[in-house]
Amino acid sequence: MPKSRKTQTPEPARKTARKSAKPTSKPQATKAASSRSSRARSSAAPMRPSKKAAIVALLERPNGAAIGDLIEATGWQTHSVRAALTGLRKEGKELVRDKDAAGVTHYRLAAA
């Protein structure tokens, strides 16, 4: 017995102008309320420096920083620290690599 095929019926055309029960404009917060909330946030918890800023600070030292120093400062894994260094290179910062007598590689930012 052959399979029956459904006949395709044309879909009804969509109405282009629909009226919504919701208002189109969003209510805006007052300036006083928004300034109070930002003031409360700033006094309650001081902003801590970002991990990227910590990496840059370590790299600006005269001797630079080893991967182990950067891992300890950020809590990241080795591959994440190396990716952050690559990100700094892509931002245009010049990194210099030096090995010390023990064979440990130290990274530092070149003086601009």
Side-chain angles (χ1 to χ4, degrees):
M1 185 157 148
K3 292 183 180 180
S4 64
R5 293 188 178 189
K6 291 183 180 180
T7 59
Q8 293 183 353
T9 59
E11 294 182 20
R14 286 188 173 188
K15 294 181 182 178
T16 56
R18 292 184 181 175
K19 292 186 179 180
S20 175
K22 297 179 185 177
T24 57
S25 64
K26 295 181 181 179
Q28 296 179 357
T30 62
K31 188 173 185 177
S34 65
S35 66
R36 267 187 276 134
S37 64
S38 65
R39 215 178 308 130
R41 270 187 268 133
S42 64
S43 64
M47 288 186 56
R48 64 179 174 98
S50 66
K51 291 183 180 183
K52 182 178 176 183
I55 287 176
V56 171
L58 289 173
L59 294 175
E60 288 176 340
R61 298 187 304 188
N63 293 336
I67 293 288
D69 299 335
L70 299 173
I71 289 171
E72 186 178 322
T74 59
W76 292 342
Q77 295 181 356
T78 306
H79 65 274
S80 299
V81 171
R82 290 184 190 278
L85 293 176
T86 301
L88 290 174
R89 284 188 189 109
K90 287 185 177 183
E91 288 178 4
K93 295 186 167 85
E94 186 179 349
L95 289 175
V96 178
R97 287 188 309 181
D98 295 323
K99 283 194 178 185
D100 62 3
V104 177
T105 303
H106 287 267
Y107 297 87
R108 62 181 172 84
L109 287 176

